[in-house]
Amino acid sequence: MLVWRCKPPAVPFPLSLGTFVKHFSVIEPKAFPLHRIKAKSLTTAATIGTHNFDSFSCRQKKQIRLYVDTLLQWNQKMNLTAVTDVDEVMERHIEDSLAILPPIQDSYVSHCNASIDSIKLVDVGTGAGLPGLVLAIACPAWKVTLLESMNKRCDFLEHAVSVTGLSNVEVVRGRAENLGQNVSFREKFDVAVARAVAEMRILAEYCLPLVRVGGLFVAAKGHDPQEEVRNAGRSLKLMGSSILQLCSGSHLYQEMNLIVESRSPYGQRTAIICSKDRPTPRKYPRDPGTPAKLPL
């Protein structure tokens, strides 16, 4: 297993400020209602405010510009994303990644009874660094681990961390099944996130062994995850996760607890928040490849 810690070189800033700021201006604060049922009592969390781009420092805005430019440059020689336009990267990747930040912050403070100021977060199957690298820019006090199994993607991540000058990020090359059985990583993280990796019942086995008891597992999904949520019930229980209830409009989800709408024109996104209530049995995660081949 390899871990990189990177330092930034001096590089130019090819994206215009006008192009960059245009995307920031469309983000407006919204509320994300959270409803949970646990131990026969219903509690409604306080209104969650969305992360506002205007609160970014000049350094953070520059880091986003550098990351987007680096992503598109490297994408010309390797498959990192199907998106090839700056505007689409901002809308489909940056905005969507930041959309899960308020739910993470609110849920962690409300249900983990701990400060959100300095947490350890792991992005499982981070790919091009989404959402983990973007969250690391937005929350420089967080310690973010980007977990990726593909060597070429790790090379890109190493370079992106270096170019953006992030000192709060580690790139780890490896599989979630192996790290989940490694004492250096098992149940060491406050929050695990995953975006566009696998269905929920597989993600549960990838992510929850890495989360400490009392922490959170957050899965970024599309607009209608009801079937995935139902299918993941057994897997979540086996991994030590609580079964929660979500009310969102006219929909009632029996397994999870939060929905968040991105302003992206590509549709609603759902953040599924799971709490880690008890240790994951030592037999999980199973051998590499088994969770995907034989989902629980």
Side-chain angles (χ1 to χ4, degrees):
M1 180 180 302
L2 300 177
V3 178
W4 291 272
R5 300 176 188 269
C6 308
K7 297 180 180 179
V11 294
F13 309 136
L15 292 184
S16 71
L17 183 60
T19 298
F20 184 70
V21 172
K22 180 184 72 172
H23 295 281
F24 284 177
S25 62
V26 300
I27 303 300
E28 300 174 357
K30 289 197 290 294
F32 301 93
L34 173 64
H35 306 275
R36 294 185 66 185
I37 292 180
K38 190 174 183 178
K40 298 183 180 180
S41 64
L42 176 64
T43 60
T44 303
T47 299
I48 309 169
T50 189
H51 192 92
N52 193 331
F53 277 110
D54 292 338
S55 68
F56 273 28
S57 68
C58 291
R59 173 179 171 80
Q60 288 171 311
K61 292 176 182 179
K62 182 185 295 183
Q63 287 173 319
I64 292 289
R65 291 204 309 271
L66 289 169
Y67 169 68
V68 171
D69 183 58
T70 302
L71 174 63
L72 291 175
Q73 286 180 355
W74 278 62
N75 198 52
Q76 295 177 13
K77 60 182 180 180
M78 59 184 296
N79 183 25
L80 291 169
T81 174
V83 179
T84 59
D85 178 75
V86 172
D87 291 355
E88 286 193 56
V89 170
M90 293 298 297
E91 292 169 347
R92 299 184 67 171
H93 292 325
I94 305 302
E95 288 183 18
D96 273 4
S97 293
L98 288 173
I100 69 170
L101 182 55
I104 293 174
Q105 292 171 322
D106 181 85
S107 298
Y108 194 83
V109 172
S110 300
H111 305 297
C112 299
N113 297 316
S115 171
I116 195 68
D117 293 339
S118 180
I119 66 171
K120 294 177 65 177
L121 178 145
V122 59
D123 181 5
V124 177
T126 186
L130 300 163
L133 195 145
V134 177
L135 295 178
I137 292 173
C139 303
W142 291 8
K143 296 180 180 178
V144 176
T145 297
L146 304 178
L147 174 58
E148 175 57 44
S149 62
M150 295 184 63
N151 291 337
K152 289 184 178 180
R153 289 179 182 172
C154 287
D155 291 340
F156 163 75
L157 293 170
E158 176 186 4
H159 181 72
V161 169
S162 178
V163 166
T164 53
L166 289 168
S167 60
N168 61 329
V169 176
E170 288 186 348
V171 178
V172 176
R173 181 181 301 170
R175 295 184 64 109
E177 300 98 321
N178 291 329
L179 264 70
Q181 292 291 354
N182 187 320
V183 294
S184 297
F185 296 93
R186 185 179 178 87
E187 298 190 335
K188 299 296 185 183
F189 295 94
D190 301 301
V191 178
V193 300
R195 176 180 183 264
V197 175
E199 63 173 293
M200 274 296 298
R201 56 181 176 164
I202 300 172
L203 280 181
E205 190 169 355
Y206 286 165
C207 297
L208 283 163
L210 299 169
V211 179
R212 67 169 177 84
V213 173
L216 300 176
F217 158 45
V218 182
K221 290 292 181 179
H223 73 285
D224 188 9
Q226 295 181 67
E227 184 175 357
E228 272 196 61
V229 164
R230 286 193 294 267
N231 291 340
R234 179 171 180 267
S235 177
L236 290 165
K237 288 181 182 179
L238 288 174
M239 295 304 118
S241 180
S242 63
I243 301 299
L244 305 174
Q245 188 177 53
L246 165 69
C247 297
S248 175
S250 61
H251 298 288
L252 179 65
Y253 300 131
Q254 297 294 332
E255 314 289 346
M256 296 297 114
N257 75 327
L258 190 61
I259 187 166
V260 55
E261 185 174 349
S262 167
R263 281 187 58 84
S264 168
Y266 301 95
Q268 188 182 59
R269 301 291 182 264
T270 305
I272 303 172
I273 315 291
C274 310
S275 62
K276 178 75 173 281
D277 294 331
R278 55 194 180 278
T280 300
R282 287 297 309 182
K283 63 181 178 179
Y284 300 115
R286 293 167 291 170
D287 292 338
T290 303
K293 293 177 181 177
L294 300 171
L296 295 169

